[in-house]
């Protein structure tokens, strides 16, 4: 429970930092975006990927891995065209 509380406090701190950095321009967005994208990629590779490989066949695992990579590509496209 203590780790869950720590996670919730960190989420609130991150939300507060993003709200404070909202008016400071493109420099703040350029600094925050890599951390956000890195968090999603980390969750996808560390948490989801082992479960995919453990509970599915090779063809299904390949399709799910391609979907994960498509999600990363979408994040890159959004960051590039934003």
């Amino acid at each position: 429970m203590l780790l869950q509380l720590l996670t919730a406090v960190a989420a609130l701190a991150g939300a507060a930092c993003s709200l404070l950095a909202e008016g400071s321009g493109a420099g703040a967005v350029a600094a925050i975006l890599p951390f956000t994208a890195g968090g999603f990629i980390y969750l996808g590779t560390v948490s989801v990927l082992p479960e995919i490989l453990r509970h599915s066949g090779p063809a299904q695992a390949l399709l799910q891995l391609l979907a994960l990579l498509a999600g990363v590509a979408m994040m890159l496209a959004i960051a590039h065209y934003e």
Side-chain angles (χ1 to χ4, degrees):
M1 278 181 83
L2 185 60
L3 289 176
Q4 185 66 26
L5 176 66
L6 181 64
T7 303
V9 169
L12 286 174
C17 287
S18 66
L19 289 174
L20 291 173
E22 181 180 353
S24 56
V29 173
I32 292 172
L33 187 62
F35 289 108
T36 306
F40 283 116
I41 294 169
Y42 173 79
L43 286 175
T45 55
V46 173
S47 300
V48 177
L49 196 57
E51 289 293 322
I52 289 172
L53 295 176
R54 188 177 312 131
H55 296 295
S56 62
Q60 184 68 22
L62 179 64
L63 286 174
Q64 291 176 349
L65 180 61
L66 289 174
L68 178 72
L69 293 175
V72 172
M74 284 183 212
M75 285 192 292
L76 287 172
I78 289 169
H80 180 46
Y81 291 114
E82 183 178 41

